[in-house]
Amino acid sequence: MKSAKLLPLSHWIAFIVVGFYPLYSGDDMEYWPWIVAVAVMAVLGTVYHVTRRSRSSVNPGMWGITLLGLDAILVCFLIYYSGGIASPFYPLLFLLCATASLYDHWTNALSMASVVSAGYIAACIGADMVLAEDGARLLINVVILLGASVILSYLAELDRREHSKAERVEALYQLSSTLMEKVDLKETLHNLLSSTASFFHADVSSVRLLDRKSGILVLEASGAPADELDEQIDISVGEGFIGWVAEEKRPILVSDVLEDPRFADFPQARKKVRSALAAPIMVGGELMGVLSFASTQPRNFSSEDLQMLVTISSLAASLIARSELYQMVLSRSEVIVGSMSSGLLVTDSAGKVVMANQASRDLLGLESMPRDKSLRELLEPTLLDTEALWGFLEGELAPATEHSHTHLEVHLRGTPERILSVSASPIRAGYEPHSGSVVILEDITERVKVDEIRDDLMLLIARRVEEQTALYEVGKSLVDEVETHDLLEFLLDKAVDLVDAELGVLSLREEEGIYRIKAVHGVDAGNLGLSYRHGEYLPGEAAVQGPLRRVEIDPANATRWGEGLGYRVSYLVAPITWQGVTKGVIEVASPASARAFGEDELRLLGLFVNQAAIALENSNLYRLITEDQRRTEAMLHSINDGVIAVNNDAQVILVNAAAERILDLPPFGETEKRHVKEVIRIQNLANIFLRSLNTSRELGEEIQLEPPDRRLLEVETSLIETSPGERIGIIAVIRDITALRELEQAKSDFVSTVSHELRTPLTSIKAYTATLRRPDVEFDEKTRQDFLQVIEEETDRLTRLVADILDVSRIESGRLTLKKRDFDLAKLVRIIIGKLQSQFPNHEIKLVSPESMGPVRADPDKIEQVFSNLVDNAAKYSPSGGEIVLTLEAQPRKVECSVADSGVGVPAEHLPHIFEKFHRVDNRATREIYGTGLGLFVSKSIVEAHGGTIWAESVFGEGSTFRFTLPFSSRVDGGDAERSPLLEGRGGEAGD
Ligand code: ADP
């Protein structure tokens, strides 16, 4: 019932109408019923209002209807006294009945109208109404009264229904929006129940949620009075009407639970509940719980009620779903928020802090979660610069602000001072313009400090990098410059450029304590070569104590080259030191009027001189290395030992000239980087390289080359190591020791030969002498002469031998002296033949010579020695005897002499060597023939000392011809030589 205001209104209308009755009644009216009626009505009206005001528990509808009922009785009373059917008060009855009908069910309205009609009829009849006359009128009045009541009551009911529907919808709408504001599920559901129970005139209401594990519908919220809560037991699915709904998943309306057979066997159904409505709460097709409303009175529910119930249940479903989601988000965000190292404050739409995580409480020094405090109240006591903060927060949290991740730095009160970073963002939920905010607090004290330090550092580094870049450029070019002679000038130019000076001078330290100017820039070149001492002038001082700076000085006093300048300068000087030793000094200057050097320039120059020192040192080093390298190369190429180096991959990396010669290799350009096996064709030799590489050991071996080479090579390998254990290759020294070996062999042969050669004649001399001296034997003259001849011959042999040995020693020591003179060679040869023939009785010695031949200029004794040797050999090496032909053949400017035999001959391979010292052919043919291997060597030396040449021609086994030349005397020509006493000999054969 929406409003009961019409009820008292009708009462007072009736009161006024009755009150004004005397004005239009006429004389027949008795006043006392009127007075009674007016008084009673006034009293009733007053009581009604007083009661309503003082006792709110009184149902205004019922009381109002009662009031109108009493009014109707009074009106009937007045009708009786005012003429019955003719009374003017009948409309008042109509008014009262119609008004009351608006507020009650049509049945009640009809009953009331019937009672009033009965009173009306009684009043009319009591007032002497004639039924025959006025019966019809009475009937009409009564029917109108009854009909109007019923119709009005019905219309009012219709209107009420419409009205209540709209009301419910509106209520629901408002409810849902208010419910959505809260997040606590129990509370929200409780609110839902209490605001909707009245829709169904329900006394009891509940929301039960299904516990999926146990299948029990657990009470989540209840609209029952507190004292009834304990009666609300757990209900299983299927039990009672709530359990039925859960099982069937559809709503139910029960007018009388007790009468319903479906719930008869549910013993625990509360007796109080008579009628009930219940609906399942479904989320996404799944049962979450049951919503129920119940009344202690039996009631018939309408389809609207059912609709309403379903709507409310879906509202409950959305609340539950939202709550679950919220719980999920909350539990997640709780973990996140709890573990956040940053402080987090959350405010609601009213600006109250609803959440503060542990980190934020630690930062703000709060012991517990703040209750009911605004952000301002919370932050103000702990922060210093709050005004700026509020300004910032207002800006950030303004509805129009786009979230932009800005933050503000504020200081915390207390020492040591800490700095907080504050950032804030509004929470925008759905279409709510502002449903709170999130404020993040971070302690950035350390970070700010680190940032400050980093900024300083960055600045410093930036400047250094700038300088370093300049220095690096300088350094880079310096290294490239090491080879040029302009290094010093280059360094000076760079120094001048670096500090943007105009003048510059570079001096180098020469011997102890003297510095000499080596390069100038912008300064008169006449200063080059000037010197000053350690400690003298500013550069000398700087050499002792390090870089110096003068903002303005008279250059004449400051430096050696400053005299002619004639203006004051700003001046810098820095010593170039390397490993503690001052190597030189760089000075730079600019006219003081143009430039004043600061500490920065001095430092820059200081840094530069380090680079300069390195450059100078590099240059020195480079020169040393280059020299060293060249020396090594020169050495390598001039030594007679072959040197070959290979890298770890056995590729040839170095071959010297001797190696090329010994091994007959192509030029190094063609062998470089090729595998040693490809380069060195001698397998054994190449293998030594590989073995040495593989074993990483130094090897020493001798290699006998295959015939016909026959050479003997000595190879020694060494590892090339940059540092111990770090091998980059191996190097081998290769020596041709063939000659050496042969010499050694020859020497030892010589010793045995000489001892043999000495012993043989000595033995015979001793034997013959001893024989001659025997006292017991008388020798005849002939025998004695023979004996003495043998002794003489053996002595000659000894003498020759000794002479040979002495000659060798003279030749080797360069003491071979020639007593040259012009003589007739043929004559000499004939004399020699005469001497020798007797010694070789088995051989026939012949001379072939031109008839006349000019004299030769030579030492006749030495030439005799040569002939003796050759003839001696010819006889020796033709053991079976034969002819020995001596030939003299005049040629232009020289005479060619030869001694030919038909003896054993010389093997071809020995021919080039037989003139070598101690060289002897050792074969079957010569084994029994003793000799020293000196004769040919001495002969060769003598011939060559005369300016001639000697050589041999031989066919092994057939004989040999030894030839040599001697120059004619320069005074005569070979053809018509001037005769001298010695040159008597004629050409022809020399006989015995
Ligand atoms: P030796 O004292 O051994 O004769 P030489 O210097 O005179 O020393 O000769 C050197 C070598 O030359 C001899 O050992 C010999 O083998 C060889 N030789 C020299 N002359 C002749 C020759 N006429 N016929 C064959 N072989 C010769």
Side-chain angles (χ1 to χ4, degrees):
M1 222 171 286
K2 200 178 173 191
S3 169
K5 279 177 187 165
L6 286 179
L7 296 170
L9 184 66
S10 290
H11 167 81
W12 291 116
I13 290 171
F15 174 75
I16 291 168
V17 170
V18 171
F20 283 105
Y21 174 71
L23 295 179
Y24 56 84
S25 66
D27 301 334
D28 54 338
M29 168 75 189
E30 287 177 58
Y31 283 97
W32 70 268
W34 172 74
I35 292 172
V36 169
V38 168
V40 172
M41 282 181 91
V43 170
L44 279 175
T46 311
V47 169
Y48 171 85
H49 285 289
V50 170
T51 333
R52 269 210 66 188
R53 196 147 300 171
S54 60
R55 294 193 52 190
S56 54
S57 64
V58 173
N59 186 339
M62 284 310 292
W63 182 208
I65 288 172
T66 312
L67 179 67
L68 295 193
L70 293 173
D71 286 343
I73 291 167
L74 281 175
V75 170
C76 287
F77 169 72
L78 277 179
I79 286 173
Y80 174 75
Y81 284 103
S82 58
I85 188 83
S87 169
F89 292 111
Y90 169 75
L92 279 185
L93 281 187
F94 183 80
L95 171 74
L96 294 171
C97 277
T99 310
S101 301
L102 291 176
Y103 292 92
D104 215 336
H105 203 250
W106 68 272
T107 47
N108 295 348
L110 187 60
S111 329
M112 199 183 78
S114 307
V115 172
V116 171
S117 299
Y120 176 60
I121 293 167
C124 288
I125 292 172
D128 302 326
M129 185 196 77
V130 182
L131 275 176
E133 279 179 25
D134 299 314
R137 193 174 159 194
L138 179 69
L139 188 66
I140 289 168
N141 282 357
V142 168
V143 169
I144 286 175
L145 205 58
L146 293 174
S149 292
V150 171
I151 288 168
L152 282 174
S153 164
Y154 184 72
L155 285 176
E157 176 72 23
L158 274 184
D159 177 64
R160 264 202 306 280
R161 282 200 185 168
E162 273 308 303
H163 209 81
S164 110
K165 202 169 156 188
E167 226 173 62
R168 282 182 184 186
V169 170
E170 197 191 322
L172 264 181
Y173 169 76
Q174 281 190 350
L175 186 66
S176 60
S177 57
T178 49
L179 288 179
M180 284 299 173
E181 280 174 16
K182 303 274 181 181
V183 286
D184 181 61
L185 183 65
K186 257 191 198 322
E187 195 187 334
T188 331
L189 288 178
H190 184 81
N191 286 352
L192 175 78
L193 291 178
S194 55
S195 5
T196 51
S198 60
F199 295 170
F200 311 106
H201 307 286
D203 312 308
V204 186
S205 56
S206 72
V207 174
R208 288 172 182 272
L209 295 186
L210 179 67
D211 178 13
R212 281 191 193 82
K213 275 187 216 151
S214 58
I216 291 203
L217 293 157
V218 183
L219 188 73
E220 184 70 17
S222 165
D227 57 328
E228 286 182 14
L229 276 179
D230 50 348
E231 287 181 33
Q232 299 195 329
I233 46 145
D234 285 346
I235 297 174
S236 302
V237 174
E239 280 182 339
F241 68 92
I242 292 178
W244 183 91
V245 168
E247 198 170 54
E248 296 288 315
K249 294 184 183 165
R250 55 192 168 101
I252 190 174
L253 304 181
V254 192
S255 307
D256 196 335
V257 177
L258 300 181
E259 300 288 304
D260 199 316
R262 286 178 292 186
F263 315 119
D265 58 343
F266 182 48
Q268 288 170 306
R270 289 180 305 136
K271 298 286 176 277
K272 273 187 178 174
V273 172
R274 293 297 300 272
S275 49
L277 321 89
I281 302 171
M282 310 285 287
V283 173
E286 206 175 319
L287 181 82
M288 304 304 293
V290 177
L291 167 75
S292 69
F293 295 94
S295 167
T296 47
Q297 299 298 315
R299 284 197 51 174
N300 284 317
F301 295 104
S302 64
S303 61
E304 281 102 52
D305 291 330
L306 187 68
Q307 245 176 29
M308 195 57 159
L309 181 69
V310 171
T311 310
I312 297 172
S313 105
S314 45
L315 184 60
S318 70
L319 289 177
I320 291 167
R322 188 179 72 126
S323 156
E324 277 196 347
L325 201 67
Y326 182 78
Q327 284 301 329
M328 202 169 76
V329 172
L330 203 67
S331 63
R332 276 191 200 166
S333 52
E334 251 170 27
V335 175
I336 297 168
V337 165
S339 60
M340 268 169 77
S341 58
S342 308
L344 180 85
L345 298 173
V346 180
T347 63
D348 62 9
S349 51
K352 294 258 190 270
V353 175
V354 289
M355 192 172 97
N357 73 346
Q358 188 60 45
S360 72
R361 298 205 294 271
D362 290 347
L363 280 174
L364 299 172
L366 304 174
E367 287 188 352
S368 59
M369 176 68 201
R371 296 241 167 256
D372 238 19
K373 279 192 173 179
S374 71
L375 200 59
R376 198 178 258 263
E377 287 166 335
L378 199 67
L379 297 181
E380 200 114 54
T382 39
L383 298 183
L384 277 175
D385 7 39
T386 46
E387 278 318 305
L389 178 66
W390 305 135
F392 167 76
L393 286 180
E394 271 162 29
E396 282 300 296
L397 302 178
T401 312
E402 277 302 308
H403 192 50
S404 57
H405 297 286
T406 53
H407 69 102
L408 180 79
E409 285 176 20
V410 291
H411 292 79
L412 272 175
R413 281 179 207 277
T415 46
E417 187 181 77
R418 302 198 70 78
I419 303 167
L420 282 189
S421 146
V422 181
S423 53
S425 21
I427 304 172
R428 292 196 181 92
Y431 300 103
E432 280 281 331
H434 189 247
S435 49
S437 57
V438 175
V439 177
I440 308 270
L441 307 174
E442 261 179 297
D443 185 342
I444 52 163
T445 318
E446 302 298 326
R447 208 166 69 199
V448 168
K449 273 188 195 154
V450 170
D451 281 359
E452 273 169 14
I453 294 171
R454 194 200 53 205
D455 288 351
D456 285 357
L457 264 177
M458 289 309 288
L459 204 71
L460 205 70
I461 289 170
R463 291 180 63 179
R464 283 285 145 81
V465 165
E466 228 168 69
E467 294 166 5
Q468 288 290 334
T469 315
L471 288 175
Y472 171 74
E473 285 299 321
V474 171
K476 208 172 65 173
S477 26
L478 291 187
V479 176
D480 300 339
E481 289 286 319
V482 284
E483 250 184 308
T484 76
H485 298 293
D486 304 332
L487 176 64
L488 298 178
E489 274 182 13
F490 176 83
L491 282 177
L492 183 62
D493 289 352
K494 286 286 170 186
V496 168
D497 273 3
L498 202 63
V499 296
D500 195 17
E502 273 183 30
L503 312 172
V505 169
L506 188 150
S507 327
L508 285 188
R509 182 174 174 141
E510 289 190 333
E511 64 243 29
E512 263 327 291
I514 296 285
Y515 290 81
R516 195 172 297 282
I517 295 176
K518 293 283 185 184
V520 291
H521 179 108
V523 172
D524 182 16
N527 290 300
L528 283 170
L530 292 183
S531 66
Y532 52 90
R533 306 200 135 272
H534 200 61
E536 202 181 3
Y537 292 107
L538 282 179
E541 236 177 83
V544 182
Q545 64 186 58
L548 290 175
R549 179 172 71 100
R550 295 287 183 274
V551 179
E552 192 181 336
I553 45 160
D554 177 0
N557 302 329
T559 179
R560 185 79 171 80
W561 48 273
E563 260 162 45
L565 282 184
Y567 52 82
R568 293 176 73 78
V569 295
S570 191
Y571 174 88
L572 295 176
V573 55
I576 306 171
T577 45
W578 181 253
Q579 293 175 345
V581 181
T582 306
K583 300 276 182 183
V585 176
I586 289 185
E587 302 163 76
V588 292
S590 276
S593 54
R595 181 122 170 58
F597 293 121
E599 278 303 315
D600 272 356
E601 279 87 10
L602 184 65
R603 197 163 44 79
L604 211 51
L605 187 67
L607 288 172
F608 173 77
V609 289
N610 293 338
Q611 295 280 331
I614 294 170
L616 279 179
E617 205 48 37
N618 278 353
S619 149
N620 272 341
L621 212 61
Y622 187 84
R623 209 174 49 239
L624 285 179
I625 290 170
T626 317
E627 276 172 16
D628 198 49
Q629 201 172 335
R630 286 186 189 145
R631 211 169 27 237
T632 312
E633 267 170 28
M635 261 161 52
L636 268 179
H637 281 92
S638 58
I639 57 172
N640 280 323
D641 294 340
V643 177
I644 295 178
V646 297
N647 62 16
N648 284 336
D649 298 328
Q651 291 167 326
V652 172
I653 52 173
L654 180 130
V655 178
N656 74 344
E660 283 171 9
R661 193 181 63 237
I662 294 170
L663 300 176
D664 194 21
L665 300 178
F668 178 54
E670 292 172 31
T671 56
E672 188 175 7
K673 284 281 172 187
R674 283 172 56 196
H675 196 274
V676 70
K677 277 219 153 192
E678 286 174 48
V679 176
I680 302 178
R681 296 284 171 197
I682 304 159
Q683 291 293 314
N684 295 349
L685 181 57
N687 286 340
I688 292 174
F689 280 87
L690 299 179
R691 254 187 292 137
S692 186
L693 270 178
N694 291 341
T695 58
S696 213
R697 279 172 48 200
E698 307 195 329
L699 301 176
E701 286 185 24
E702 283 177 14
I703 295 175
Q704 179 71 60
L705 301 188
E706 297 288 313
D709 201 336
R710 291 198 164 278
R711 279 182 304 154
L712 184 67
L713 301 182
E714 184 189 62
V715 184
E716 276 177 32
T717 66
S718 312
L719 307 181
I720 315 172
E721 291 181 322
T722 47
S723 57
E726 271 200 35
R727 190 190 71 182
I728 58 164
I730 60 160
I731 190 163
V733 177
I734 301 159
R735 259 178 239 123
D736 184 350
I737 54 164
T738 321
L740 193 72
R741 265 303 132 80
E742 280 172 354
L743 190 63
E744 279 168 6
Q745 183 61 44
K747 269 185 192 163
S748 71
D749 288 354
F750 171 72
V751 173
S752 58
T753 309
V754 167
S755 37
H756 178 86
E757 289 288 297
L758 286 174
R759 201 164 50 239
T760 314
L762 281 176
T763 312
S764 16
I765 291 169
K766 171 110 171 82
Y768 281 100
T769 317
T771 311
L772 282 175
R773 278 176 50 107
R774 276 177 69 167
D776 55 328
V777 186
E778 272 291 316
F779 294 101
D780 59 18
E781 186 55 25
K782 165 93 168 71
T783 310
R784 258 177 14 104
Q785 282 302 322
D786 286 348
F787 277 22
L788 284 173
Q789 193 183 343
V790 171
I791 291 170
E792 193 186 1
E793 281 170 4
E794 291 301 322
T795 312
D796 284 349
R797 197 172 149 187
L798 267 179
T799 312
R800 250 197 340 269
L801 183 64
V802 172
D804 276 353
I805 293 171
L806 283 175
D807 279 343
V808 169
S809 116
R810 277 195 209 106
I811 290 163
E812 292 204 320
S813 63
R815 286 183 289 116
L816 180 75
T817 49
L818 301 176
K819 295 174 188 147
K820 284 190 192 173
R821 57 190 176 87
D822 295 347
F823 63 91
D824 183 348
L825 184 60
K827 192 175 176 187
L828 177 70
V829 171
R830 271 193 288 276
I831 295 167
I832 295 166
I833 291 173
K835 281 188 190 171
L836 293 176
Q837 184 61 73
S838 59
Q839 284 181 30
F840 307 110
N842 295 336
H843 297 82
E844 191 185 343
I845 305 174
K846 287 183 179 171
L847 171 68
V848 179
S849 163
E851 275 195 16
S852 69
M853 198 173 59
V856 292
R857 182 163 184 84
D859 182 336
D861 292 343
K862 297 295 179 209
I863 298 304
E864 182 181 347
Q865 200 180 337
V866 172
F867 274 108
S868 296
N869 271 334
L870 295 180
V871 174
D872 192 42
N873 279 350
K876 268 201 301 190
Y877 297 105
S878 43
S880 41
E883 266 190 351
I884 298 172
V885 182
L886 278 66
T887 315
L888 301 179
E889 191 188 322
Q891 289 183 351
R893 306 184 70 84
K894 63 185 180 190
V895 58
E896 186 182 295
C897 318
S898 67
V899 177
D901 64 62
S902 45
V904 296
V906 182
E909 69 267 25
H910 281 277
L911 265 181
H913 302 291
I914 51 176
F915 293 95
E916 290 168 10
K917 196 166 54 175
F918 304 120
H919 191 93
R920 301 196 74 236
V921 178
D922 185 15
N923 57 27
R924 202 143 33 102
T926 60
R927 196 151 297 145
E928 295 303 314
I929 304 166
Y930 289 100
T932 56
L934 290 176
L936 287 182
F937 173 75
V938 172
S939 303
K940 182 175 187 251
S941 303
I942 291 171
V943 169
E944 286 177 354
H946 282 89
T949 47
I950 186 167
W951 68 99
E953 293 156 5
S954 178
V955 177
F956 185 51
E958 288 182 16
S960 318
T961 304
F962 285 82
R963 299 178 194 276
F964 65 94
T965 59
L966 282 175
F968 281 119
S969 163
S970 53
R971 290 192 285 115
V972 287
D973 209 61
D976 49 323
E978 198 184 297
R979 305 234 163 174
S980 70
L982 237 173
L983 303 174
E984 287 165 5
R986 292 173 290 124
E989 290 182 6
D992 278 5

